[in-house]
């Protein structure tokens, strides 16, 4: 593996709109960068040091995702980078600090993508779809995957508070967009809190099962998962002729503002929910 002194940070930021997004919250900037004031001019030497620190964090995130936080040591991180363990201490103080920075970076990437979507303007549904695309793509990358696979449970309480403020900011943005979508008529009336939880939960889980180098690119994974969230898995109302009569007779249809149809099928005469056996097969490796 490359020496962090010679490795520049790989850009993992989602594409931005030409319009300038609002600045990141101070918490996001402090946790993700771990650096001095952003208004202070950065020298070439400082940029080099930041590039090396980023390489250390990225190698650590990869190992955390592969092995888990407790099963990864600083020796493992140094070996991945082909440097000595004392070299790491020039860039980070401890393994806890590394995890804090990795998770903070992943959350900051999501927040920056949300801000760019807001700055691009358009209807709430357009902004929400853009945010979902960013979210899904970020959790397939090293830092975003670290947010999902490792999380902040291993950190001291004070560090967890910082990261959970960032998570709350993401949740609030999703709720805001859902609420605005309902108001503009592009999203069916719903509980914004519950809907935001469903969106974030479904997209976050991509970070659990996604494996790089599979059949689909991160963008394709994001597009298919978002399409399933918005369109559902059952046939649209006009094409339900192929469904069993028991299903069509008891299906409650809810049409969203984007034309999606969600079906909640109730078993006849029992009042209990019954799964569609036609889609009961377990999928193989999705990526």
């Amino acid at each position: 593996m490359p020496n962090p002194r010679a490795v520049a940070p790989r850009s993992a930021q989602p594409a931005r709109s030409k319009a300038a997004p609002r600045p990141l919250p101070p918490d996001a900037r402090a946790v993700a960068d771990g650096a001095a004031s952003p208004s202070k001019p950065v020298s070439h030497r400082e940029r080099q040091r930041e590039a090396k620190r980023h390489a250390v964090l990225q190698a650590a995130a990869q190992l955390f995702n592969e092995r888990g936080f407790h099963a990864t040591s600083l020796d493992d991180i140094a070996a991945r980078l082909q440097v000595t363990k004392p070299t790491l201490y020039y860039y980070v103080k401890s393994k806890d600090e590394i995890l804090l920075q990795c998770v903070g970076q992943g959350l900051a990437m999501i927040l920056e993508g949300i801000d760019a979507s807001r700055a691009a303007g358009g209807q709430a549904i357009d902004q929400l779809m853009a945010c979902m695309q960013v979210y899904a793509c970020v959790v397939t990358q090293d830092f975003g995957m670290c947010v999902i696979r490792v999380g902040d449970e291993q950190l001291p309480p004070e560090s967890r508070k910082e990261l959970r403020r960032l998570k709350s900011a993401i949740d609030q943005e999703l709720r805001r967009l859902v609420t605005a979508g309902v108001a503009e008529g592009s999203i069916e009336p719903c509980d914004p809190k519950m809907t935001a939880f469903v969106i974030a939960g479904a997209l976050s889980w991509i970070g659990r099962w996604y494996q790089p180098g599979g059949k689909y690119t991160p963008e394709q994974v994001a597009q298919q998962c978002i399409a399933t969230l918005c369109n559902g898995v059952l046939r649209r109302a006009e094409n339900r002729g192929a469904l069993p009569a028991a299903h069509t007779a008891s299906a409650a249809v809810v049409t969203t503002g984007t034309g999606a149809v969600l079906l909640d099928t109730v078993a006849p005469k029992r009042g209990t929910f019954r799964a569609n056996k036609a889609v009961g097969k377990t999928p193989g490796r999705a990526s």
Side-chain angles (χ1 to χ4, degrees), residues 145-164:
M145 201 177 288
C146 196
V147 174
I148 308 305
R149 294 191 179 184
V150 184
D152 55 25
E153 290 78 11
Q154 325 294 337
L155 293 171
E158 192 57 37
S159 296
R160 288 203 300 269
K161 287 181 183 179
E162 295 178 18
L163 295 175
R164 287 173 184 180

Side-chain angles (χ1 to χ4, degrees), residues 49-230:
R49 185 180 185 283
E50 178 59 22
K52 296 167 189 174
R53 189 184 72 89
H54 182 96
V56 170
L57 296 179
Q58 189 150 28
Q62 291 169 356
L63 286 167
F64 291 159
N65 293 334
E66 294 167 11
R67 305 179 185 181
F69 178 73
H70 290 300
T72 301
S73 67
L74 289 177
D75 289 311
D76 294 328
I77 298 170
R80 173 67 62 95
L81 292 164
Q82 298 182 351
V83 299
T84 62
K85 182 177 177 180
T87 300
L88 297 181
Y89 288 110
Y90 182 69
Y91 305 103
V92 294
K93 295 177 182 178
S94 66
K95 196 170 78 167
D96 281 352
E97 183 194 338
I98 292 175
L99 180 59
L100 174 65
Q101 297 297 326
C102 288
V103 175
Q105 180 71 22
L107 293 173
M109 289 164 62
I110 295 173
L111 277 170
E112 286 189 349
I114 290 174
D115 287 342
S117 301
R118 179 204 286 252
Q123 288 191 312
I125 186 61
D126 299 324
Q127 294 182 43
L128 180 60
M129 295 293 284
C131 289
M132 292 168 68
Q133 182 76 24
V134 167
Y135 197 120
C137 286
V138 168
V139 298
T140 66
Q141 300 171 32
D142 294 328
F143 294 123
M145 201 177 288
C146 196
V147 174
I148 308 305
R149 294 191 179 184
V150 184
D152 55 25
E153 290 78 11
Q154 325 294 337
L155 293 171
E158 192 57 37
S159 296
R160 288 203 300 269
K161 287 181 183 179
E162 295 178 18
L163 295 175
R164 287 173 184 180
R165 280 196 291 268
L166 301 185
K167 292 179 180 180
S168 177
I170 294 170
D171 175 59
Q172 292 301 319
E173 284 295 314
L174 290 177
R175 294 190 201 186
R176 178 188 66 80
L177 288 171
V178 171
T179 300
V182 171
E184 74 184 13
S186 61
I187 297 177
E188 190 74 10
C190 61
D191 180 342
K193 177 180 177 180
M194 181 68 72
T195 302
F197 281 173
V198 170
I199 292 171
L203 297 180
S204 292
W205 205 250
I206 295 172
R208 288 278 184 183
W209 53 256
Y210 175 77
Q211 294 293 333
K215 180 178 179 181
Y216 300 112
T217 66
E219 292 74 20
Q220 289 172 327
V221 168
Q223 289 166 4
Q224 291 193 43
C225 289
I226 292 169
T228 300
L229 268 175
C230 294

Side-chain angles (χ1 to χ4, degrees), residues 261-276:
V261 176
L262 308 176
L263 303 176
D264 290 343
T265 305
V266 181
K269 299 182 181 180
R270 290 187 182 180
T272 57
F273 289 99
R274 178 168 59 183
N276 184 351

Side-chain angles (χ1 to χ4, degrees), residues 231-237 240 243 247 251 261-265 276 278-279:
N231 300 329
V233 295
L234 300 185
R235 291 178 181 269
R236 294 177 182 274
R240 285 191 297 150
L243 291 176
H247 287 278
V261 176
L262 308 176
L263 303 176
D264 290 343
T265 305
N276 184 351
V279 293

